[in-house]
Amino acid sequence: MANVRKAETKDINQLTELMYEYIVDFYQRPKPPIEKVHQLFYTLLNQKEGSQFVVEQDEKLVGFATLYFTYDTLFAQKVAILNDLYVTEEARGTDVANELFQACNNFAKENDYAYMSWLTANDNKRAQSFYEKMGATSEGWIHYSIQMNKMTSSLVK
């Protein structure tokens, strides 16, 4: 049986492993230094800027979700950004992702957030199908970003 709960200090090692699996293996991004991962973990533990939820099965973490908190001027209210929702390969196809998503959604409702939103990659059809089953719809916004380290290096040249 899966147990969804907020991350705790005791989770740091297993959660770090899951985060690296998510970052490096799933999204094929460079591995961030462990110090930065741990700093993020402890920042989220205080639950002022965000929160992390984990799924535990047989004393092993098999998934996590990260919420960040911000505001939306259009609603003049706080909002929750679901930045990550990840479950291990062996936990996919079970109810684990649903339970994790519902924990985040319930947190946003219980804490009077205007809404919860998130992004997923264009080619992540499995995630898109999952989110649609959860009742979500695409808002039609186009997402842009500027990576500071790339921008800084190009400005120096």
Side-chain angles (χ1 to χ4, degrees):
M1 176 90 182
N3 176 35
V4 179
R5 59 177 172 75
K6 288 186 181 174
E8 301 171 7
T9 306
K10 69 178 184 172
D11 299 322
I12 190 165
N13 292 330
Q14 285 191 62
L15 189 51
T16 298
E17 288 178 32
L18 276 180
M19 290 172 74
Y20 280 144
E21 190 177 301
Y22 170 73
I23 296 164
V24 178
D25 299 341
F26 189 78
Y27 277 108
Q28 300 178 345
R29 303 288 183 180
K31 184 177 182 178
I34 196 165
E35 299 81 21
K36 289 192 177 210
V37 172
H38 286 181
Q39 180 181 7
L40 174 60
F41 173 79
Y42 285 113
T43 298
L44 294 169
L45 276 182
N46 75 32
Q47 298 185 31
K48 289 184 171 67
E49 298 178 49
S51 187
Q52 275 189 311
F53 291 85
V54 295
V55 182
E56 187 175 37
Q57 256 180 349
D58 301 322
E59 299 181 25
K60 181 182 177 199
L61 297 186
V62 296
F64 74 95
T66 310
L67 290 175
Y68 291 107
F69 311 141
T70 190
Y71 288 85
D72 187 325
T73 306
L74 299 177
F75 288 84
Q77 193 173 350
K78 58 188 177 178
V79 297
I81 308 299
L82 177 62
N83 199 71
D84 316 302
L85 193 150
Y86 178 76
V87 296
T88 60
E89 185 69 39
E90 59 270 11
R92 292 181 196 147
T94 68
D95 212 28
V96 168
N98 181 30
E99 291 176 31
L100 193 52
F101 180 87
Q102 291 305 333
C104 294
N105 196 38
N106 290 340
F107 176 88
K109 285 179 187 175
E110 292 164 5
N111 290 280
D112 198 33
Y113 285 75
Y115 59 84
M116 181 175 76
S117 69
W118 59 92
L119 303 169
T120 192
N122 288 331
D123 62 351
N124 194 344
K125 301 301 181 192
R126 184 176 191 158
Q128 292 168 28
S129 175
F130 170 76
Y131 293 133
E132 288 167 7
K133 281 196 271 185
M134 296 294 103
T137 56
S138 175
E139 295 292 321
W141 294 84
I142 299 173
H143 179 248
Y144 293 93
S145 68
I146 295 175
Q147 293 183 7
M148 294 302 117
N149 56 353
K150 286 186 180 180
M151 184 175 181
T152 303
S153 63
S154 67
L155 293 175
V156 175
K157 292 181 183 177

